[in-house]
Amino acid sequence: MEFQKISSPSLRELFVEQLEHMILSGKLGIGEKLPPERQLSEAMQVSRAVVNSGIAELEKKGFLIVKPRVGTFVADYRRTGTLDTLLSIMKYNGGKLRNDEIRSILEVRIALDTLAAQQCIKRITDEEVQLLLEKTERIRDASSIAGASQAAFEFQHEFAVLSQNVLIPLIFQSFKVPVFTLWERFCTLYGIPALYQNTYKLWSFIHDRDIDGAVHWIQHSVGETINGSRKIYYE
């Protein structure tokens, strides 16, 4: 049996986490001005270096706005946030996404998968079709939900790479954590065979070089998780 190394979070990580929680819980409201760094340092009993680096990270994530010679303010992270902001929200919610976030990710996935299908299918080779089939079968053969979700990610990422659009696989890779979470949610609710069947159906259209069929299936199958019979919301 292999044991993992135990590590404790740094003071900066704890500082960032506490302020994120205060912002996400509403204890710190949008537009509210934070105390000066010296006061934060004294109140939280950490060095000013910890406060300074923590504020810089929170600004990068879109939670804070630093105005030189004016102060530091809570930002509207819905407008200024990044993917890191979404990951922080997931962590705050115990690894879960809210319904509007799930819907948004799925809508983006429809757009990206549709573009990938249009670009990939018209130029894919027989060898590449076989490669996608092998990745599809790994979903079927997975012994766990995590394994099936990883196999599904590998299929989708390869599909994106084969589109030869430089940005699609990069965007897909950047969304791995929330997308992976949604696949796990889908498998928990509907089973690994359902994920395999969805992927195999898409592969069949790719195999037949049927762009219209693939696009329709993407819109239908992902749409079912948004408004259909296979919703994956937590509430």
Side-chain angles (χ1 to χ4, degrees):
M1 181 180 295
E2 183 178 351
F3 294 92
Q4 301 295 320
K5 178 182 177 181
I6 297 175
S7 59
S8 58
S10 67
L11 289 175
R12 182 183 60 79
E13 290 170 334
L14 292 173
F15 173 85
V16 168
E17 182 175 312
Q18 183 173 146
L19 262 68
E20 284 180 350
H21 284 199
M22 293 178 73
I23 293 170
L24 291 171
S25 67
K27 291 181 180 178
L28 286 173
I30 294 172
E32 187 170 342
K33 184 178 181 180
L34 266 60
E37 289 187 10
R38 178 179 55 80
Q39 291 184 25
L40 284 173
S41 173
E42 293 173 355
M44 302 177 75
Q45 298 185 22
V46 294
S47 69
R48 289 191 64 177
V50 167
V51 173
N52 184 266
S53 63
I55 287 175
E57 181 174 341
L58 288 162
E59 183 179 29
K60 182 179 178 182
K61 287 185 175 183
F63 286 112
L64 296 177
I65 296 176
V66 178
K67 298 181 179 180
R69 299 184 181 181
V70 178
T72 300
F73 300 83
V74 177
D76 183 352
Y77 58 84
R78 295 280 178 167
R79 295 180 180 275
T80 59
T82 65
L83 181 60
D84 286 336
T85 314
L86 178 60
L87 298 180
S88 293
I89 293 171
M90 285 181 62
K91 184 177 180 181
Y92 174 75
N93 291 326
K96 297 179 181 179
L97 290 162
R98 294 180 293 202
N99 289 355
D100 60 334
E101 294 156 355
I102 291 174
R103 173 184 287 272
S104 297
I105 290 172
L106 293 173
E107 288 172 346
V108 169
R109 187 184 157 196
I110 288 175
L112 291 176
D113 283 2
T114 295
L115 180 57
Q118 292 168 339
Q119 297 298 316
C120 169
I121 293 175
K122 64 185 179 183
R123 60 169 62 94
I124 196 168
T125 66
D126 290 342
E127 291 76 13
E128 291 166 341
V129 170
Q130 181 61 31
L131 175 61
L132 288 178
L133 176 60
E134 292 170 3
K135 292 183 180 297
T136 303
E137 291 173 341
R138 289 176 191 168
I139 302 173
R140 179 196 62 195
D141 299 337
S143 59
S144 67
I145 287 176
S149 300
Q150 178 62 35
F153 176 83
E154 291 174 2
F155 172 91
Q156 290 291 150
H157 189 260
E158 188 65 31
F159 181 45
V161 170
L162 293 175
S163 74
Q164 296 186 22
N165 180 297
V166 175
L167 291 182
I168 296 176
L170 296 180
I171 295 171
F172 198 76
Q173 181 70 39
S174 69
F175 274 85
K176 181 175 181 178
V177 173
V179 168
F180 196 93
T181 298
L182 296 186
W183 270 318
E184 289 187 320
R185 175 68 173 166
F186 181 89
C187 288
T188 298
L189 293 174
Y190 307 109
I192 293 174
L195 179 60
Y196 166 71
Q197 290 162 9
N198 278 356
T199 309
Y200 183 80
K201 184 74 171 180
L202 175 58
W203 176 84
S204 297
F205 287 118
I206 296 171
H207 173 269
D208 295 339
R209 275 66 170 183
D210 184 350
I211 295 176
D212 290 340
V215 169
H216 179 268
W217 178 248
I218 289 166
Q219 294 172 347
H220 170 75
S221 59
V222 181
E224 281 286 283
T225 64
I226 299 175
N227 293 315
S229 60
R230 288 182 168 177
K231 297 185 184 72
I232 55 176
Y233 304 116
Y234 288 95
E235 299 174 0

